[in-house]
Amino acid sequence: MDDLDTQAADNAAVHHAASKPGGKPSFAMTDGGGADPTHQHLFHLASAAPSRFDGGDLRGAVADNWSVLKGQQGSVYLARLAPGGVREPHWHPSAWEMNFVVSGKVRWSLVGPGGTGDAFEGKAGDLVFAPQGHFYYFENASETDDLVVLIVFNTSVAEPDDDIGLVESLSAIPPDVLGAIFGVPADTFKAIPKNRDRVVIASKNKEPANG
């Protein structure tokens, strides 16, 4: 899994109907990747069409594109974060997740109820558990190598339908409310763009839009 795009390109039948960078992830059926047409229990995850973002890409096996998962309360994703890639801070209101580091180095931060928090780095072979409802993010801790993480959820629902992101959340809160909460002038937050699109995987190496 060192080069997921190369694996997919090697299969001439794969059509990468990936979403536009910054768009909503789409885990549609594709020829050659995804659910195997002759074996209902087999899914070709590494060669499935990815949803692409500024900081990496995401492949998913959910009930919508793998019928065997319907009613099973389970789904799997393969996330690749390029150097500088950051998974948007977010939380899942109705699912926990297991994260297995396939390759690379990861930096993780979680916040739970009661102000509990945890921040650490992990490497290939490590497993990270994010409890249901916890706020968290992770990023590629390497400046040169990709980070690949296999993510397992206890829900068959596609992640976009069980994911509340930081960008959408802050965009929905007026500057005066944010100012009151943080105890600073409302003007501090007026520069926050009113962008309700999901970011999913951002890049710290990308130049700001107004930069």
Side-chain angles (χ1 to χ4, degrees), residues 95-132:
W96 53 252
E97 64 180 87
M98 287 282 191
N99 300 266
F100 179 74
V101 183
V102 177
S103 62
K105 295 190 299 181
V106 65
R107 185 175 298 114
W108 218 284
S109 182
L110 302 97
V111 178
T116 58
D118 200 7
F120 51 87
E121 289 193 0
K123 61 184 184 304
D126 288 343
L127 188 63
V128 179
F129 180 69
Q132 178 177 327

Side-chain angles (χ1 to χ4, degrees), residues 51-75:
S51 290
R52 302 185 190 281
F53 307 97
D54 290 333
D57 52 58
L58 189 67
R59 292 166 168 83
V62 299
D64 291 343
N65 66 353
W66 195 13
S67 60
V68 74
L69 289 180
K70 291 182 179 179
Q72 297 299 313
Q73 299 303 306
S75 55

